[in-house]
Amino acid sequence: STVQANTDAGFSIVTYTGTGANATVGHGLSSVPKMYIVKRRSNTGNWYTYHESIGNTKRLRLDETSSATTESTAWNNTSPTSSVFSIGTSVDVNAGSNTYVSYVFAEVEGYSKFGSYTGNGNADGTFVYLGFRASLIMSKKTSGTGNWEIFDTTRDPINYSGKYLLANSSDAEGDTG
C-alpha cells in the first residue's frame, strides 16, 4: 500500500492493489480507525464503508441508501488495529490486480468524533454531545434505508438543521426550511 497520512488530523489516504485473498492494509495513523471508505479505481464498484458502530461483520455503501448489511467478505470479520485494516475477498475491496483508494479516519480529541445514536422521534431530535462544536456532521440511518446527510457550518453557520448535501446523490443542496 501507499499511504499519505496526517496523524494530527486523524486522516489518511491509502492506495493499494487487490490480491483476491484476505489481507491487511497499512493505514499510517498510529491509532485505531473508527471509519474508512474503500473505492475500486480500476473498475466499477460501490463505495464500501466500515464504521465502528456497525462492526466488522457489516458494511455500508456510501453511494447508496441501503441499511447496514452483513457481509463477511468485506472486512474479513476483523476489526482494524492501530496499524492496519482488514479486507476480505469482495471485489469491491479486494479483487485480484484491481487498484483501490481508501479514506481512513481516526478520532482526534476536540477535532473529530465518530459514533452512533438512537433517534427519539421528537421534533428537536436527539442531543449528541461531542465535546466540541463540529464544523461538519455526516449521518446515515443504519437500521433501514436512508440518505447520507451532510450538514456544515459553511452552508448553515447558525444551525445545522437547514441546508444539507446528500453524499449518495447528485442532487443540488437541499433546505429543510
Side-chain angles (χ1 to χ4, degrees):
S1 63
T2 301
V3 179
Q4 294 180 331
N6 181 334
T7 55
D8 291 338
F11 176 67
S12 67
I13 300 172
V14 180
T15 56
Y16 63 92
T17 301
T19 64
N22 293 333
T24 59
V25 178
H27 55 69
L29 292 178
S30 302
S31 58
V32 178
K34 302 293 185 175
M35 179 177 174
Y36 41 91
I37 303 164
V38 176
K39 176 68 172 110
R40 183 162 47 162
R41 298 183 306 155
S42 56
N43 210 325
T44 59
N46 295 102
W47 292 79
Y48 267 43
T49 305
Y50 165 88
H51 195 282
E52 177 186 60
S53 67
I54 62 168
N56 62 36
T57 62
K58 296 183 179 185
R59 57 95 181 125
L60 292 164
R61 290 180 174 164
L62 184 63
D63 54 319
E64 294 183 354
T65 61
S66 59
S67 63
T69 303
T70 300
E71 185 176 337
S72 62
T73 60
W75 318 123
N76 193 27
N77 294 349
T78 306
S79 296
T81 70
S82 60
S83 57
V84 298
F85 63 91
S86 293
I87 51 176
T89 57
S90 168
V91 297
D92 282 309
V93 298
N94 191 17
S97 302
N98 280 230
T99 57
Y100 296 84
V101 62
S102 182
Y103 304 98
V104 185
F105 303 88
E107 281 186 2
V108 174
E109 188 174 344
Y111 182 75
S112 61
K113 188 82 171 166
F114 300 85
S116 64
Y117 68 93
T118 301
N120 61 16
N122 294 338
D124 290 335
T126 303
F127 177 78
V128 179
Y129 181 73
L130 302 177
F132 60 94
R133 179 171 160 76
S135 295
L136 182 140
I137 294 175
M138 181 179 208
S139 66
K140 166 75 174 95
K141 182 178 178 183
T142 60
S143 61
T145 60
N147 290 308
W148 290 82
E149 299 173 320
I150 301 170
F151 299 90
D152 63 82
T153 57
T154 300
R155 221 169 294 300
D156 205 351
I158 296 171
N159 191 341
Y160 298 124
S161 66
K163 297 181 172 120
Y164 63 90
L165 292 172
L166 301 177
N168 56 283
S169 172
S170 61
D171 290 352
E173 174 184 273
D175 192 341
T176 61

PDB file of all heavy atoms in Angstrom, residues 85-125:
ATOM      1  N   PHE A  85      -5.940  -2.132   8.513  1.00  0.00           N
ATOM      2  CA  PHE A  85      -7.339  -2.545   8.456  1.00  0.00           C
ATOM      3  C   PHE A  85      -7.397  -3.779   7.572  1.00  0.00           C
ATOM      4  O   PHE A  85      -6.533  -4.008   6.725  1.00  0.00           O
ATOM      5  CB  PHE A  85      -8.277  -1.428   7.974  1.00  0.00           C
ATOM      6  CG  PHE A  85      -8.057  -0.938   6.566  1.00  0.00           C
ATOM      7  CD1 PHE A  85      -8.736  -1.498   5.499  1.00  0.00           C
ATOM      8  CD2 PHE A  85      -7.197   0.125   6.325  1.00  0.00           C
ATOM      9  CE1 PHE A  85      -8.559  -1.027   4.207  1.00  0.00           C
ATOM     10  CE2 PHE A  85      -7.008   0.610   5.035  1.00  0.00           C
ATOM     11  CZ  PHE A  85      -7.686   0.036   3.971  1.00  0.00           C
ATOM     12  N   SER A  86      -8.414  -4.602   7.807  1.00  0.00           N
ATOM     13  CA  SER A  86      -8.538  -5.874   7.089  1.00  0.00           C
ATOM     14  C   SER A  86      -9.503  -5.758   5.926  1.00  0.00           C
ATOM     15  O   SER A  86     -10.514  -5.056   6.005  1.00  0.00           O
ATOM     16  CB  SER A  86      -9.021  -6.974   8.034  1.00  0.00           C
ATOM     17  OG  SER A  86      -8.038  -7.243   9.005  1.00  0.00           O
ATOM     18  N   ILE A  87      -9.185  -6.465   4.860  1.00  0.00           N
ATOM     19  CA  ILE A  87     -10.070  -6.570   3.711  1.00  0.00           C
ATOM     20  C   ILE A  87     -10.286  -8.042   3.401  1.00  0.00           C
ATOM     21  O   ILE A  87      -9.392  -8.866   3.561  1.00  0.00           O
ATOM     22  CB  ILE A  87      -9.513  -5.825   2.472  1.00  0.00           C
ATOM     23  CG1 ILE A  87      -8.074  -6.229   2.173  1.00  0.00           C
ATOM     24  CG2 ILE A  87      -9.637  -4.320   2.656  1.00  0.00           C
ATOM     25  CD1 ILE A  87      -7.479  -5.605   0.920  1.00  0.00           C
ATOM     26  N   GLY A  88     -11.500  -8.349   2.985  1.00  0.00           N
ATOM     27  CA  GLY A  88     -11.840  -9.718   2.634  1.00  0.00           C
ATOM     28  C   GLY A  88     -11.705  -9.933   1.142  1.00  0.00           C
ATOM     29  O   GLY A  88     -10.883  -9.305   0.473  1.00  0.00           O
ATOM     30  N   THR A  89     -12.547 -10.788   0.601  1.00  0.00           N
ATOM     31  CA  THR A  89     -12.438 -11.182  -0.807  1.00  0.00           C
ATOM     32  C   THR A  89     -13.471 -10.515  -1.706  1.00  0.00           C
ATOM     33  O   THR A  89     -13.524 -10.818  -2.898  1.00  0.00           O
ATOM     34  CB  THR A  89     -12.566 -12.705  -0.928  1.00  0.00           C
ATOM     35  OG1 THR A  89     -13.823 -13.116  -0.342  1.00  0.00           O
ATOM     36  CG2 THR A  89     -11.410 -13.422  -0.215  1.00  0.00           C
ATOM     37  N   SER A  90     -14.276  -9.612  -1.179  1.00  0.00           N
ATOM     38  CA  SER A  90     -15.253  -8.896  -2.001  1.00  0.00           C
ATOM     39  C   SER A  90     -14.533  -8.121  -3.097  1.00  0.00           C
ATOM     40  O   SER A  90     -13.525  -7.464  -2.845  1.00  0.00           O
ATOM     41  CB  SER A  90     -16.060  -7.917  -1.146  1.00  0.00           C
ATOM     42  OG  SER A  90     -16.796  -7.040  -1.976  1.00  0.00           O
ATOM     43  N   VAL A  91     -15.067  -8.159  -4.309  1.00  0.00           N
ATOM     44  CA  VAL A  91     -14.438  -7.430  -5.418  1.00  0.00           C
ATOM     45  C   VAL A  91     -14.456  -5.926  -5.172  1.00  0.00           C
ATOM     46  O   VAL A  91     -13.631  -5.201  -5.721  1.00  0.00           O
ATOM     47  CB  VAL A  91     -15.092  -7.752  -6.781  1.00  0.00           C
ATOM     48  CG1 VAL A  91     -14.907  -9.218  -7.125  1.00  0.00           C
ATOM     49  CG2 VAL A  91     -16.558  -7.352  -6.801  1.00  0.00           C
ATOM     50  N   ASP A  92     -15.368  -5.435  -4.339  1.00  0.00           N
ATOM     51  CA  ASP A  92     -15.427  -4.002  -4.064  1.00  0.00           C
ATOM     52  C   ASP A  92     -14.320  -3.524  -3.133  1.00  0.00           C
ATOM     53  O   ASP A  92     -14.115  -2.322  -2.989  1.00  0.00           O
ATOM     54  CB  ASP A  92     -16.795  -3.624  -3.498  1.00  0.00           C
ATOM     55  CG  ASP A  92     -17.854  -3.540  -4.595  1.00  0.00           C
ATOM     56  OD1 ASP A  92     -17.614  -2.862  -5.609  1.00  0.00           O
ATOM     57  OD2 ASP A  92     -18.917  -4.167  -4.443  1.00  0.00           O
ATOM     58  N   VAL A  93     -13.593  -4.436  -2.491  1.00  0.00           N
ATOM     59  CA  VAL A  93     -12.459  -4.043  -1.640  1.00  0.00           C
ATOM     60  C   VAL A  93     -11.163  -4.775  -1.973  1.00  0.00           C
ATOM     61  O   VAL A  93     -10.093  -4.356  -1.537  1.00  0.00           O
ATOM     62  CB  VAL A  93     -12.769  -4.231  -0.131  1.00  0.00           C
ATOM     63  CG1 VAL A  93     -13.927  -3.357   0.300  1.00  0.00           C
ATOM     64  CG2 VAL A  93     -13.015  -5.683   0.234  1.00  0.00           C
ATOM     65  N   ASN A  94     -11.223  -5.869  -2.775  1.00  0.00           N
ATOM     66  CA  ASN A  94     -10.003  -6.667  -2.915  1.00  0.00           C
ATOM     67  C   ASN A  94     -10.023  -7.658  -4.080  1.00  0.00           C
ATOM     68  O   ASN A  94      -9.668  -8.817  -3.916  1.00  0.00           O
ATOM     69  CB  ASN A  94      -9.734  -7.419  -1.602  1.00  0.00           C
ATOM     70  CG  ASN A  94      -8.371  -8.049  -1.551  1.00  0.00           C
ATOM     71  OD1 ASN A  94      -7.472  -7.707  -2.316  1.00  0.00           O
ATOM     72  ND2 ASN A  94      -8.207  -8.978  -0.628  1.00  0.00           N
ATOM     73  N   ALA A  95     -10.382  -7.245  -5.273  1.00  0.00           N
ATOM     74  CA  ALA A  95     -10.289  -8.136  -6.430  1.00  0.00           C
ATOM     75  C   ALA A  95      -8.837  -8.189  -6.902  1.00  0.00           C
ATOM     76  O   ALA A  95      -8.144  -7.167  -6.918  1.00  0.00           O
ATOM     77  CB  ALA A  95     -11.186  -7.657  -7.562  1.00  0.00           C
ATOM     78  N   GLY A  96      -8.382  -9.348  -7.285  1.00  0.00           N
ATOM     79  CA  GLY A  96      -7.005  -9.514  -7.746  1.00  0.00           C
ATOM     80  C   GLY A  96      -6.633  -8.541  -8.864  1.00  0.00           C
ATOM     81  O   GLY A  96      -7.401  -8.365  -9.810  1.00  0.00           O
ATOM     82  N   SER A  97      -5.505  -7.880  -8.710  1.00  0.00           N
ATOM     83  CA  SER A  97      -4.932  -6.944  -9.688  1.00  0.00           C
ATOM     84  C   SER A  97      -5.734  -5.666  -9.886  1.00  0.00           C
ATOM     85  O   SER A  97      -5.395  -4.860 -10.742  1.00  0.00           O
ATOM     86  CB  SER A  97      -4.713  -7.627 -11.042  1.00  0.00           C
ATOM     87  OG  SER A  97      -3.862  -8.738 -10.893  1.00  0.00           O
ATOM     88  N   ASN A  98      -6.797  -5.449  -9.119  1.00  0.00           N
ATOM     89  CA  ASN A  98      -7.547  -4.195  -9.190  1.00  0.00           C
ATOM     90  C   ASN A  98      -6.921  -3.181  -8.237  1.00  0.00           C
ATOM     91  O   ASN A  98      -6.357  -3.548  -7.206  1.00  0.00           O
ATOM     92  CB  ASN A  98      -9.012  -4.416  -8.799  1.00  0.00           C
ATOM     93  CG  ASN A  98      -9.837  -4.998  -9.924  1.00  0.00           C
ATOM     94  OD1 ASN A  98     -10.895  -4.494 -10.238  1.00  0.00           O
ATOM     95  ND2 ASN A  98      -9.372  -6.075 -10.554  1.00  0.00           N
ATOM     96  N   THR A  99      -7.036  -1.898  -8.578  1.00  0.00           N
ATOM     97  CA  THR A  99      -6.482  -0.852  -7.716  1.00  0.00           C
ATOM     98  C   THR A  99      -7.598  -0.186  -6.919  1.00  0.00           C
ATOM     99  O   THR A  99      -8.728  -0.059  -7.395  1.00  0.00           O
ATOM    100  CB  THR A  99      -5.717   0.194  -8.534  1.00  0.00           C
ATOM    101  OG1 THR A  99      -6.591   0.755  -9.514  1.00  0.00           O
ATOM    102  CG2 THR A  99      -4.506  -0.428  -9.213  1.00  0.00           C
ATOM    103  N   TYR A 100      -7.263   0.252  -5.699  1.00  0.00           N
ATOM    104  CA  TYR A 100      -8.227   0.797  -4.754  1.00  0.00           C
ATOM    105  C   TYR A 100      -7.674   2.051  -4.085  1.00  0.00           C
ATOM    106  O   TYR A 100      -6.460   2.223  -3.972  1.00  0.00           O
ATOM    107  CB  TYR A 100      -8.543  -0.235  -3.654  1.00  0.00           C
ATOM    108  CG  TYR A 100      -9.211  -1.467  -4.190  1.00  0.00           C
ATOM    109  CD1 TYR A 100      -8.468  -2.511  -4.723  1.00  0.00           C
ATOM    110  CD2 TYR A 100     -10.593  -1.575  -4.187  1.00  0.00           C
ATOM    111  CE1 TYR A 100      -9.085  -3.638  -5.239  1.00  0.00           C
ATOM    112  CE2 TYR A 100     -11.221  -2.696  -4.702  1.00  0.00           C
ATOM    113  CZ  TYR A 100     -10.463  -3.728  -5.223  1.00  0.00           C
ATOM    114  OH  TYR A 100     -11.083  -4.835  -5.749  1.00  0.00           O
ATOM    115  N   VAL A 101      -8.592   2.898  -3.636  1.00  0.00           N
ATOM    116  CA  VAL A 101      -8.242   4.016  -2.772  1.00  0.00           C
ATOM    117  C   VAL A 101      -9.110   3.897  -1.525  1.00  0.00           C
ATOM    118  O   VAL A 101     -10.276   3.488  -1.596  1.00  0.00           O
ATOM    119  CB  VAL A 101      -8.433   5.397  -3.456  1.00  0.00           C
ATOM    120  CG1 VAL A 101      -9.885   5.648  -3.839  1.00  0.00           C
ATOM    121  CG2 VAL A 101      -7.879   6.523  -2.590  1.00  0.00           C
ATOM    122  N   SER A 102      -8.518   4.219  -0.387  1.00  0.00           N
ATOM    123  CA  SER A 102      -9.255   4.176   0.869  1.00  0.00           C
ATOM    124  C   SER A 102      -9.006   5.469   1.635  1.00  0.00           C
ATOM    125  O   SER A 102      -7.874   5.951   1.708  1.00  0.00           O
ATOM    126  CB  SER A 102      -8.805   2.980   1.708  1.00  0.00           C
ATOM    127  OG  SER A 102      -9.555   2.912   2.899  1.00  0.00           O
ATOM    128  N   TYR A 103     -10.077   6.003   2.208  1.00  0.00           N
ATOM    129  CA  TYR A 103     -10.018   7.190   3.057  1.00  0.00           C
ATOM    130  C   TYR A 103     -10.257   6.705   4.481  1.00  0.00           C
ATOM    131  O   TYR A 103     -11.319   6.156   4.780  1.00  0.00           O
ATOM    132  CB  TYR A 103     -11.075   8.207   2.622  1.00  0.00           C
ATOM    133  CG  TYR A 103     -10.916   8.565   1.153  1.00  0.00           C
ATOM    134  CD1 TYR A 103     -11.695   7.952   0.184  1.00  0.00           C
ATOM    135  CD2 TYR A 103      -9.951   9.476   0.743  1.00  0.00           C
ATOM    136  CE1 TYR A 103     -11.536   8.256  -1.169  1.00  0.00           C
ATOM    137  CE2 TYR A 103      -9.784   9.787  -0.602  1.00  0.00           C
ATOM    138  CZ  TYR A 103     -10.583   9.179  -1.549  1.00  0.00           C
ATOM    139  OH  TYR A 103     -10.407   9.465  -2.884  1.00  0.00           O
ATOM    140  N   VAL A 104      -9.272   6.901   5.346  1.00  0.00           N
ATOM    141  CA  VAL A 104      -9.283   6.304   6.680  1.00  0.00           C
ATOM    142  C   VAL A 104      -9.336   7.418   7.733  1.00  0.00           C
ATOM    143  O   VAL A 104      -8.566   8.378   7.658  1.00  0.00           O
ATOM    144  CB  VAL A 104      -8.036   5.419   6.889  1.00  0.00           C
ATOM    145  CG1 VAL A 104      -8.100   4.699   8.223  1.00  0.00           C
ATOM    146  CG2 VAL A 104      -7.879   4.421   5.740  1.00  0.00           C
ATOM    147  N   PHE A 105     -10.239   7.262   8.724  1.00  0.00           N
ATOM    148  CA  PHE A 105     -10.459   8.290   9.733  1.00  0.00           C
ATOM    149  C   PHE A 105     -10.316   7.719  11.139  1.00  0.00           C
ATOM    150  O   PHE A 105     -10.924   6.704  11.460  1.00  0.00           O
ATOM    151  CB  PHE A 105     -11.880   8.869   9.606  1.00  0.00           C
ATOM    152  CG  PHE A 105     -12.191   9.433   8.253  1.00  0.00           C
ATOM    153  CD1 PHE A 105     -12.709   8.621   7.249  1.00  0.00           C
ATOM    154  CD2 PHE A 105     -11.966  10.767   7.982  1.00  0.00           C
ATOM    155  CE1 PHE A 105     -13.015   9.140   5.989  1.00  0.00           C
ATOM    156  CE2 PHE A 105     -12.259  11.296   6.731  1.00  0.00           C
ATOM    157  CZ  PHE A 105     -12.786  10.481   5.731  1.00  0.00           C
ATOM    158  N   ALA A 106      -9.535   8.406  11.965  1.00  0.00           N
ATOM    159  CA  ALA A 106      -9.422   8.082  13.385  1.00  0.00           C
ATOM    160  C   ALA A 106      -9.841   9.308  14.186  1.00  0.00           C
ATOM    161  O   ALA A 106      -9.752  10.438  13.705  1.00  0.00           O
ATOM    162  CB  ALA A 106      -7.985   7.699  13.729  1.00  0.00           C
ATOM    163  N   GLU A 107     -10.297   9.094  15.405  1.00  0.00           N
ATOM    164  CA  GLU A 107     -10.710  10.220  16.240  1.00  0.00           C
ATOM    165  C   GLU A 107      -9.514  11.008  16.739  1.00  0.00           C
ATOM    166  O   GLU A 107      -8.480  10.437  17.076  1.00  0.00           O
ATOM    167  CB  GLU A 107     -11.502   9.723  17.458  1.00  0.00           C
ATOM    168  CG  GLU A 107     -12.914   9.387  17.147  1.00  0.00           C
ATOM    169  CD  GLU A 107     -13.729   9.045  18.399  1.00  0.00           C
ATOM    170  OE1 GLU A 107     -13.203   9.103  19.528  1.00  0.00           O
ATOM    171  OE2 GLU A 107     -14.907   8.718  18.218  1.00  0.00           O
ATOM    172  N   VAL A 108      -9.692  12.321  16.791  1.00  0.00           N
ATOM    173  CA  VAL A 108      -8.722  13.224  17.402  1.00  0.00           C
ATOM    174  C   VAL A 108      -9.508  14.092  18.375  1.00  0.00           C
ATOM    175  O   VAL A 108     -10.440  14.792  17.958  1.00  0.00           O
ATOM    176  CB  VAL A 108      -8.003  14.097  16.344  1.00  0.00           C
ATOM    177  CG1 VAL A 108      -7.108  15.112  17.011  1.00  0.00           C
ATOM    178  CG2 VAL A 108      -7.223  13.225  15.366  1.00  0.00           C
ATOM    179  N   GLU A 109      -9.168  14.028  19.656  1.00  0.00           N
ATOM    180  CA  GLU A 109      -9.926  14.740  20.672  1.00  0.00           C
ATOM    181  C   GLU A 109     -10.038  16.230  20.345  1.00  0.00           C
ATOM    182  O   GLU A 109      -9.048  16.883  20.019  1.00  0.00           O
ATOM    183  CB  GLU A 109      -9.271  14.560  22.037  1.00  0.00           C
ATOM    184  CG  GLU A 109     -10.110  15.107  23.171  1.00  0.00           C
ATOM    185  CD  GLU A 109      -9.527  14.813  24.546  1.00  0.00           C
ATOM    186  OE1 GLU A 109      -8.659  13.943  24.659  1.00  0.00           O
ATOM    187  OE2 GLU A 109      -9.955  15.488  25.484  1.00  0.00           O
ATOM    188  N   GLY A 110     -11.255  16.739  20.400  1.00  0.00           N
ATOM    189  CA  GLY A 110     -11.526  18.137  20.124  1.00  0.00           C
ATOM    190  C   GLY A 110     -11.566  18.490  18.647  1.00  0.00           C
ATOM    191  O   GLY A 110     -11.804  19.640  18.283  1.00  0.00           O
ATOM    192  N   TYR A 111     -11.351  17.497  17.785  1.00  0.00           N
ATOM    193  CA  TYR A 111     -11.295  17.746  16.336  1.00  0.00           C
ATOM    194  C   TYR A 111     -12.276  16.883  15.554  1.00  0.00           C
ATOM    195  O   TYR A 111     -12.939  17.356  14.652  1.00  0.00           O
ATOM    196  CB  TYR A 111      -9.868  17.510  15.843  1.00  0.00           C
ATOM    197  CG  TYR A 111      -9.665  17.769  14.377  1.00  0.00           C
ATOM    198  CD1 TYR A 111      -9.603  19.065  13.886  1.00  0.00           C
ATOM    199  CD2 TYR A 111      -9.526  16.713  13.486  1.00  0.00           C
ATOM    200  CE1 TYR A 111      -9.413  19.311  12.531  1.00  0.00           C
ATOM    201  CE2 TYR A 111      -9.335  16.940  12.132  1.00  0.00           C
ATOM    202  CZ  TYR A 111      -9.278  18.244  11.658  1.00  0.00           C
ATOM    203  OH  TYR A 111      -9.096  18.478  10.320  1.00  0.00           O
ATOM    204  N   SER A 112     -12.341  15.587  15.900  1.00  0.00           N
ATOM    205  CA  SER A 112     -13.244  14.682  15.185  1.00  0.00           C
ATOM    206  C   SER A 112     -13.816  13.649  16.142  1.00  0.00           C
ATOM    207  O   SER A 112     -13.190  13.285  17.135  1.00  0.00           O
ATOM    208  CB  SER A 112     -12.518  13.982  14.030  1.00  0.00           C
ATOM    209  OG  SER A 112     -11.438  13.206  14.513  1.00  0.00           O
ATOM    210  N   LYS A 113     -15.019  13.187  15.818  1.00  0.00           N
ATOM    211  CA  LYS A 113     -15.714  12.214  16.653  1.00  0.00           C
ATOM    212  C   LYS A 113     -16.530  11.307  15.742  1.00  0.00           C
ATOM    213  O   LYS A 113     -17.154  11.764  14.786  1.00  0.00           O
ATOM    214  CB  LYS A 113     -16.635  12.949  17.630  1.00  0.00           C
ATOM    215  CG  LYS A 113     -17.273  12.096  18.664  1.00  0.00           C
ATOM    216  CD  LYS A 113     -16.322  11.859  19.797  1.00  0.00           C
ATOM    217  CE  LYS A 113     -17.037  11.183  20.954  1.00  0.00           C
ATOM    218  NZ  LYS A 113     -16.096  10.651  21.908  1.00  0.00           N
ATOM    219  N   PHE A 114     -16.537  10.023  16.031  1.00  0.00           N
ATOM    220  CA  PHE A 114     -17.285   9.037  15.255  1.00  0.00           C
ATOM    221  C   PHE A 114     -18.092   8.198  16.227  1.00  0.00           C
ATOM    222  O   PHE A 114     -17.588   7.786  17.256  1.00  0.00           O
ATOM    223  CB  PHE A 114     -16.327   8.139  14.459  1.00  0.00           C
ATOM    224  CG  PHE A 114     -15.489   8.910  13.494  1.00  0.00           C
ATOM    225  CD1 PHE A 114     -14.310   9.507  13.901  1.00  0.00           C
ATOM    226  CD2 PHE A 114     -15.890   9.064  12.188  1.00  0.00           C
ATOM    227  CE1 PHE A 114     -13.538  10.250  13.016  1.00  0.00           C
ATOM    228  CE2 PHE A 114     -15.133   9.810  11.292  1.00  0.00           C
ATOM    229  CZ  PHE A 114     -13.953  10.408  11.711  1.00  0.00           C
ATOM    230  N   GLY A 115     -19.342   7.952  15.908  1.00  0.00           N
ATOM    231  CA  GLY A 115     -20.157   7.164  16.810  1.00  0.00           C
ATOM    232  C   GLY A 115     -21.531   6.921  16.244  1.00  0.00           C
ATOM    233  O   GLY A 115     -21.767   7.046  15.039  1.00  0.00           O
ATOM    234  N   SER A 116     -22.453   6.596  17.123  1.00  0.00           N
ATOM    235  CA  SER A 116     -23.827   6.344  16.723  1.00  0.00           C
ATOM    236  C   SER A 116     -24.751   6.883  17.802  1.00  0.00           C
ATOM    237  O   SER A 116     -24.315   7.163  18.920  1.00  0.00           O
ATOM    238  CB  SER A 116     -24.059   4.846  16.520  1.00  0.00           C
ATOM    239  OG  SER A 116     -23.884   4.158  17.745  1.00  0.00           O
ATOM    240  N   TYR A 117     -26.013   7.039  17.455  1.00  0.00           N
ATOM    241  CA  TYR A 117     -27.020   7.461  18.418  1.00  0.00           C
ATOM    242  C   TYR A 117     -28.349   6.839  18.011  1.00  0.00           C
ATOM    243  O   TYR A 117     -28.521   6.385  16.889  1.00  0.00           O
ATOM    244  CB  TYR A 117     -27.122   8.992  18.502  1.00  0.00           C
ATOM    245  CG  TYR A 117     -27.678   9.639  17.251  1.00  0.00           C
ATOM    246  CD1 TYR A 117     -29.043   9.897  17.121  1.00  0.00           C
ATOM    247  CD2 TYR A 117     -26.844   9.994  16.193  1.00  0.00           C
ATOM    248  CE1 TYR A 117     -29.555  10.489  15.978  1.00  0.00           C
ATOM    249  CE2 TYR A 117     -27.350  10.586  15.048  1.00  0.00           C
ATOM    250  CZ  TYR A 117     -28.702  10.823  14.946  1.00  0.00           C
ATOM    251  OH  TYR A 117     -29.212  11.404  13.807  1.00  0.00           O
ATOM    252  N   THR A 118     -29.278   6.836  18.913  1.00  0.00           N
ATOM    253  CA  THR A 118     -30.623   6.350  18.638  1.00  0.00           C
ATOM    254  C   THR A 118     -31.559   7.542  18.647  1.00  0.00           C
ATOM    255  O   THR A 118     -31.565   8.322  19.612  1.00  0.00           O
ATOM    256  CB  THR A 118     -31.055   5.322  19.704  1.00  0.00           C
ATOM    257  OG1 THR A 118     -30.130   4.238  19.682  1.00  0.00           O
ATOM    258  CG2 THR A 118     -32.454   4.800  19.411  1.00  0.00           C
ATOM    259  N   GLY A 119     -32.305   7.703  17.579  1.00  0.00           N
ATOM    260  CA  GLY A 119     -33.255   8.806  17.483  1.00  0.00           C
ATOM    261  C   GLY A 119     -34.350   8.689  18.521  1.00  0.00           C
ATOM    262  O   GLY A 119     -34.648   7.606  19.011  1.00  0.00           O
ATOM    263  N   ASN A 120     -34.955   9.847  18.870  1.00  0.00           N
ATOM    264  CA  ASN A 120     -36.003   9.833  19.886  1.00  0.00           C
ATOM    265  C   ASN A 120     -37.386  10.172  19.335  1.00  0.00           C
ATOM    266  O   ASN A 120     -38.362  10.165  20.065  1.00  0.00           O
ATOM    267  CB  ASN A 120     -35.654  10.774  21.037  1.00  0.00           C
ATOM    268  CG  ASN A 120     -35.498  12.215  20.602  1.00  0.00           C
ATOM    269  OD1 ASN A 120     -35.915  12.615  19.510  1.00  0.00           O
ATOM    270  ND2 ASN A 120     -34.863  13.006  21.459  1.00  0.00           N
ATOM    271  N   GLY A 121     -37.477  10.508  18.051  1.00  0.00           N
ATOM    272  CA  GLY A 121     -38.759  10.814  17.445  1.00  0.00           C
ATOM    273  C   GLY A 121     -39.295  12.198  17.765  1.00  0.00           C
ATOM    274  O   GLY A 121     -40.375  12.557  17.310  1.00  0.00           O
ATOM    275  N   ASN A 122     -38.574  12.977  18.546  1.00  0.00           N
ATOM    276  CA  ASN A 122     -39.017  14.337  18.889  1.00  0.00           C
ATOM    277  C   ASN A 122     -38.664  15.308  17.769  1.00  0.00           C
ATOM    278  O   ASN A 122     -37.689  15.120  17.048  1.00  0.00           O
ATOM    279  CB  ASN A 122     -38.361  14.806  20.188  1.00  0.00           C
ATOM    280  CG  ASN A 122     -38.808  14.002  21.383  1.00  0.00           C
ATOM    281  OD1 ASN A 122     -39.869  13.387  21.362  1.00  0.00           O
ATOM    282  ND2 ASN A 122     -38.001  13.993  22.421  1.00  0.00           N
ATOM    283  N   ALA A 123     -39.428  16.382  17.651  1.00  0.00           N
ATOM    284  CA  ALA A 123     -39.185  17.392  16.617  1.00  0.00           C
ATOM    285  C   ALA A 123     -37.801  18.019  16.755  1.00  0.00           C
ATOM    286  O   ALA A 123     -37.155  18.356  15.760  1.00  0.00           O
ATOM    287  CB  ALA A 123     -40.262  18.476  16.682  1.00  0.00           C
ATOM    288  N   ASP A 124     -37.314  18.173  17.983  1.00  0.00           N
ATOM    289  CA  ASP A 124     -35.987  18.760  18.206  1.00  0.00           C
ATOM    290  C   ASP A 124     -34.871  17.742  18.034  1.00  0.00           C
ATOM    291  O   ASP A 124     -33.690  18.100  18.060  1.00  0.00           O
ATOM    292  CB  ASP A 124     -35.906  19.379  19.597  1.00  0.00           C
ATOM    293  CG  ASP A 124     -36.752  20.627  19.716  1.00  0.00           C
ATOM    294  OD1 ASP A 124     -37.003  21.273  18.683  1.00  0.00           O
ATOM    295  OD2 ASP A 124     -37.163  20.945  20.844  1.00  0.00           O
ATOM    296  N   GLY A 125     -35.188  16.478  17.909  1.00  0.00           N
ATOM    297  CA  GLY A 125     -34.181  15.444  17.708  1.00  0.00           C
ATOM    298  C   GLY A 125     -33.447  15.066  18.976  1.00  0.00           C
ATOM    299  O   GLY A 125     -33.740  15.546  20.068  1.00  0.00           O
TER     300      GLY A 125
END
